Amino acid sequence: MKIPNWRLNTLIGLNCFILFFLLFEHLVRVPVWMQVIGRVHPMLLHFPIVLLLMAGIFINFSRQLEKTLSIKPLIRETLFVAALTAAITVIMGLLLAQEEGYEGGNLQWHKWTGVGISFLSGVLVCAQGLQYTRYRFWFAAVTNLCLLLVLIAGHFGAALTHGEQFVFEPLKQNNTEVFDINTAQVFDDAVLPILKAKCLSCHNAGKSKGELILADSASMAKGGKNGVLLQAGNPMESLLIQRLLLDIEHEHHMPPKGKPQLTPEELTLLQAWVAKGAQFNLPVAMLNADDSLLLAIGAVYPIHKEENFDFPAADAKQIEKLSTPYRVIRVLADGSPALSVSFYGAGFYTDQALAELEPIAQQIVSLNVDGMPIGKQGLETVAKFKNLRDINLNDTPIDDAGLTALHALPKLGSVRLSGTAITAAGIKELLANDALRRVYIWNTPITNEEVSQLTASFPTKVVEMGFVDDGQTTLSLTVPQITPARTFFRDELQITMSHPIPGVEIRYSLDGKEPDSSNSTVFDKPISIRSNQQLSVKAFKEGWAPSPTIVRGYVRSAKTPDRIVMEGRPHYLYPARREISFFDLESGGNNHADGKWQGYLKSPLSAVMHFDEPTAIDTLTLSVMQNYQGITYMPVYAPEYIEVWGGADTTEEKLLAKLSPVPGKPEQLEGHRLIDCPIHTTNLRYLKLIARPYRKIPDGYPGAGGEAWLFVDEIILK
């Protein structure tokens, strides 16, 4: 079958151009207008894929299809259009690959398989007449080879745009083990999965946009074209966090608009990790229970602190038989086979009492012999508790020789040795146990210098030395705990206070004066707050320095609208509880991402409040965050201006108040600010609040000339 000359010339010309480009691509400089052509590559590539698949079906099943179809014209036209679009797609791909960020093995495989598809499909067009001769088998074989190249090119193309293992990632995730708090690493198991899911499609070894790769710790530490990615301990100065916090419409926002975005919880986790020091080898087990990083991890991953034990439960009658007032045996949790054993009364303890536990040795995971005169025989018994995770040996006669018994415990994760005679040499041998994560050595012969050496030798393990009192140090009390934590209330709020140290005297004032140890009121019963009030609290105890003064302002929100309609949408990262958050009486904390602050950038807050009955309102107060002292990247300011509109209904609305709050001086900045808007109106059934964030921060303030964030946690009507 003769091929029209123009078709043949077109295909030969396009493939010759491809060959020329490949030979001299290192010299090619693609102008901007041609970059646009290159970026059409992802849109056009589906055409040759589908057409080649159709041609493959027609060719492989031509004998069956020709009974009902005129198959020859179908094959001829489909093959030509497939070869034509394949060549054009390859040219566009070569242009796109000239942009920075495309490199590595995936690119090379994708490029050369694509070139192979173009050349082979062109050959098939030229040789299509062979399928009706004795070479029919070889024609079909080349067609199927072309289809195989389509699959290979598609695989490596997906790896370029979506990261390695993109196709099989769901199966891999389904088989992933549950997040284990005892063995997980913060970076490898909590941070890196987020980066792989949301960032790796643009920042992998094959496609490193901005010369940045986020596939491993070494690449992240190196940074990219725009500099170092992480500033340990300072999230807001870290390029990674800065790009993540940009508005989604910003050209440098990560990930780009249209790609899966980080959730607020994931973003908070990354910020907490950087604030913690952006450590790549930090075990999750080293984090305290109240550590903000651990809390952030828990918000993203289902952390199961209760271990699933693989041993059977002990006989209940056996446990009852072994239990005494001085040897208490408890089940670790309902339905768990694990047991916790504690000894009390040193005068009643014997090593034989410990040896009697051998029938349930398999089930004991926690042992407390604090202050007991445990001897060599007792330690030999402990060595038989192969599932032991935690042991308390505080104030026992154990020494370095006795520690060797603990080396036989393969799952021991925590050891308490405070008040014992152990030395640094014994602890060093003990820390060689891979499972061991934390050792407590308060009040032992081990010096601060030796602790530093141990920490340097075992950077992934915690050596807790505690505070060593030299007899000359006066400790300061911590601030009292005030309950409830919120500062907004409707009619009345009952305030209680406590302190974790016994014998502490808590004094307070409600007149703005600094509490003292003689004249201020002693807290001895709940305080009733019924109006706007400022509470100042301080703790005192003989032999201790007073605590810092904690000041908390309480604000009464007397009225609540019957309905709230939000006309302005908050930023997608900080939606809080939308309408509900404005009147839920929940105070936002110092962290704008705590879920209680509603954030705005560029667009204003616009909320409409409706009242079923005519209402008199004297003042609308807006509670906002301020955080811009020394911050130039994500400054949080009070609004540039506030407008309050209202009336009997929307047709009678009028401007009730308009004000432009003056920014506070950075050196005198208060993190929480209440802005009063006097409106003095009666018979009100419709109220509209507009608060616009700064579109241009005034000169002389951090971030001058740029945009500011606005964060609001409550609207108060009085």
Side-chain angles (χ1 to χ4, degrees):
M1 183 182 298
K2 186 177 180 181
I3 305 171
N5 289 338
W6 71 270
R7 291 191 175 190
L8 186 62
N9 293 337
T10 300
L11 292 178
I12 293 175
L14 290 173
N15 283 282
C16 285
F17 179 81
I18 292 172
L19 183 61
F20 174 83
F21 199 105
L22 291 171
L23 291 173
F24 300 101
E25 63 180 331
H26 61 287
L27 301 175
V28 173
R29 295 294 179 269
V30 179
V32 174
W33 67 271
M34 290 191 73
Q35 290 181 11
V36 176
I37 297 175
R39 294 189 179 192
V40 180
H41 171 78
M43 293 182 280
L44 187 65
L45 60 84
H46 300 92
F47 288 95
I49 292 174
V50 173
L51 291 169
L52 284 170
L53 289 173
M54 291 175 59
I57 294 172
F58 295 153
I59 292 168
N60 284 291
F61 300 97
S62 59
R63 290 178 176 174
Q64 292 86 345
L65 294 174
E66 64 188 4
K67 297 176 182 179
T68 56
L69 294 173
S70 180
I71 198 67
K72 292 182 180 180
L74 279 176
I75 293 175
R76 181 179 65 248
E77 300 303 326
T78 304
L79 268 181
F80 171 71
V81 179
L84 179 66
T85 53
I88 296 173
T89 300
V90 169
I91 292 171
M92 290 178 172
L94 293 173
L95 294 174
L96 181 61
Q98 292 299 304
E99 296 188 30
E100 64 175 28
Y102 293 94
E103 56 189 19
N106 289 335
L107 173 65
Q108 295 303 317
W109 277 100
H110 183 64
K111 178 174 75 174
W112 288 107
T113 50
V115 170
I117 292 169
S118 179
F119 287 171
L120 280 182
S121 59
V123 169
L124 288 173
V125 170
C126 296
Q128 60 184 287
L130 296 179
Q131 66 176 310
Y132 308 110
T133 69
R134 59 181 177 174
Y135 299 106
R136 183 189 192 102
F137 170 81
W138 294 107
F139 187 85
V142 174
T143 301
N144 292 328
L145 175 61
C146 194
L147 294 179
L148 178 62
L149 291 180
V150 168
L151 293 176
I152 296 173
H155 168 73
F156 288 106
L160 272 175
T161 57
H162 295 85
E164 298 283 353
Q165 304 299 324
F166 169 71
V167 175
F168 298 105
E169 189 67 26
L171 297 177
K172 186 177 179 181
Q173 290 178 351
N174 289 339
N175 293 326
T176 301
E177 295 182 1
V178 175
F179 192 94
D180 187 348
I181 192 173
N182 297 306
T183 61
Q185 295 282 325
V186 173
F187 176 75
D188 291 339
D189 300 300
V191 173
L192 191 57
I194 296 174
L195 300 178
K196 285 184 175 180
K198 304 294 176 68
C199 307
L200 211 59
S201 62
C202 293
H203 299 284
N204 56 70
K207 181 184 178 184
S208 53
K209 285 293 185 72
E211 300 175 14
L212 176 64
I213 298 175
L214 298 177
D216 54 79
S217 58
S219 300
M220 287 188 65
K222 180 181 177 182
K225 181 180 71 174
N226 295 314
V228 178
L229 189 65
L230 303 168
Q231 294 289 340
N234 195 341
M236 292 309 166
E237 294 299 323
S238 296
L239 184 61
L240 173 68
I241 305 301
Q242 291 177 353
R243 292 294 175 90
L244 291 172
L245 289 174
L246 284 172
D247 184 80
I248 194 170
E249 302 292 342
H250 198 286
E251 62 176 328
H252 295 307
H253 171 78
M254 290 172 48
K257 183 179 180 182
K259 294 206 171 186
Q261 301 295 311
L262 273 71
T263 66
E265 292 79 12
E266 290 172 337
L267 181 57
T268 300
L269 194 161
L270 295 184
Q271 289 176 295
W273 173 64
V274 176
K276 192 73 175 177
Q279 302 176 61
F280 293 107
N281 60 348
L282 177 65
V284 176
M286 289 183 66
L287 303 175
N288 294 324
D290 58 350
D291 194 297
S292 58
L293 177 54
L294 182 60
L295 297 176
I297 292 173
V300 177
Y301 301 96
I303 295 179
H304 298 288
K305 296 183 180 179
E306 294 182 6
E307 186 175 354
N308 293 321
F309 300 99
D310 58 0
F311 48 80
D315 183 71
K317 292 183 178 179
Q318 184 76 53
I319 296 174
E320 184 179 0
K321 180 181 177 181
L322 292 171
S323 297
T324 72
Y326 307 104
R327 184 175 59 197
V328 178
I329 305 173
R330 295 189 177 92
V331 176
L332 202 63
D334 290 343
S336 173
L339 300 177
S340 170
V341 180
S342 297
F343 284 84
Y344 301 96
F348 297 93
Y349 173 85
T350 64
D351 283 348
Q352 180 59 33
L354 193 58
E356 291 172 358
L357 294 173
E358 288 190 26
I360 59 171
Q362 184 183 13
Q363 286 79 25
I364 298 175
V365 300
S366 177
L367 178 64
N368 178 12
V369 288
D370 184 354
M372 300 298 111
I374 187 171
K376 181 180 179 181
Q377 181 187 349
L379 291 170
E380 290 175 352
T381 301
V382 170
K384 299 177 182 179
F385 298 167
K386 298 300 183 182
N387 287 315
L388 194 65
R389 268 68 166 173
D390 174 81
I391 185 169
N392 185 345
L393 290 163
N394 291 344
D395 299 314
T396 62
I398 192 171
D399 55 14
D400 289 353
L403 283 179
T404 58
L406 304 183
H407 298 171
L409 300 173
K411 298 182 180 180
L412 187 63
S414 173
V415 181
R416 291 168 171 78
L417 294 164
S418 301
T420 64
I422 49 94
T423 68
I427 292 298
K428 187 174 183 179
E429 290 186 14
L430 184 63
L431 289 172
N433 184 335
D434 291 338
L436 194 63
R437 291 292 181 188
R438 194 180 293 263
V439 179
Y440 299 85
I441 55 171
W442 304 353
N443 193 25
T444 64
I446 302 174
T447 64
N448 288 332
E449 183 179 354
E450 289 173 328
V451 170
S452 299
Q453 293 172 354
L454 289 170
T455 303
S457 300
F458 301 93
T460 63
K461 304 191 178 186
V462 178
V463 181
E464 294 278 7
M465 190 174 186
F467 172 76
V468 180
D469 190 359
D470 58 6
Q472 300 179 351
T473 304
T474 301
L475 299 178
S476 296
L477 294 168
T478 57
V479 296
Q481 298 170 352
I482 302 176
T483 306
R486 59 188 173 90
T487 59
F488 303 109
F489 65 98
R490 191 72 65 219
D491 298 311
E492 181 179 5
L493 192 64
Q494 294 289 324
I495 305 296
T496 61
M497 293 178 276
S498 61
H499 201 282
I501 298 177
V504 168
E505 184 177 72
I506 301 175
R507 290 180 176 265
Y508 69 93
S509 69
L510 293 169
D511 55 7
K513 294 181 179 179
E514 177 82 4
D516 59 42
S517 59
S518 56
N519 298 316
S520 299
T521 306
V522 177
F523 173 77
D524 55 5
K525 61 181 180 180
I527 305 169
S528 181
I529 304 290
R530 296 187 178 87
S531 61
N532 290 6
Q533 202 89 52
Q534 179 173 293
L535 174 67
S536 302
V537 183
K538 201 168 188 176
F540 300 89
K541 184 177 182 179
E542 186 177 352
W544 295 69
S547 73
T549 302
I550 180 171
V551 178
R552 184 166 292 175
Y554 293 95
V555 180
R556 182 170 181 254
S557 182
K559 296 183 181 295
T560 305
D562 297 293
R563 292 178 305 285
I564 309 166
V565 178
M566 293 183 63
E567 294 185 344
R569 296 176 58 188
H571 194 277
Y572 77 95
L573 286 175
Y574 310 107
R577 300 171 65 196
R578 297 182 65 84
E579 302 92 338
I580 298 173
S581 66
F582 289 139
F583 292 92
D584 62 0
L585 305 179
E586 291 291 335
S587 312
N590 296 326
N591 180 5
H592 61 270
D594 64 5
K596 298 177 182 178
W597 290 103
Q598 195 169 117
Y600 292 84
L601 182 69
K602 298 179 183 290
S603 61
L605 181 163
S606 181
V608 175
M609 292 153 272
H610 298 273
F611 302 87
D612 291 340
E613 300 295 334
T615 304
I617 296 178
D618 181 69
T619 306
L620 181 150
T621 301
L622 191 64
S623 174
V624 302
M625 172 184 275
Q626 296 183 131
N627 184 22
Y628 50 84
Q629 184 177 10
I631 296 177
T632 58
Y633 179 72
M634 188 182 172
V636 179
Y637 279 80
E640 181 178 8
Y641 69 81
I642 299 174
E643 290 182 354
V644 183
W645 298 76
D649 53 41
T650 56
T651 61
E652 298 182 13
E653 72 168 353
K654 61 180 180 179
L655 183 63
L656 303 177
K658 182 174 182 179
L659 64 156
S660 300
V662 178
K665 296 181 179 179
E667 62 273 13
Q668 300 175 346
L669 193 65
E670 293 183 359
H672 209 140
R673 180 175 178 181
L674 298 174
I675 304 173
D676 292 330
C677 303
I679 54 179
H680 309 299
T681 183
T682 58
N683 297 322
L684 187 73
R685 298 185 65 176
Y686 168 84
L687 190 66
K688 181 176 181 178
L689 168 67
I690 300 174
R692 176 176 288 280
Y694 275 102
R695 289 169 290 186
K696 186 177 181 181
I697 298 172
D699 293 338
Y701 289 88
E707 298 172 324
W709 283 85
L710 169 64
F711 284 98
V712 179
D713 64 346
E714 198 79 7
I715 298 173
I716 302 102
L717 302 177
K718 294 179 284 188

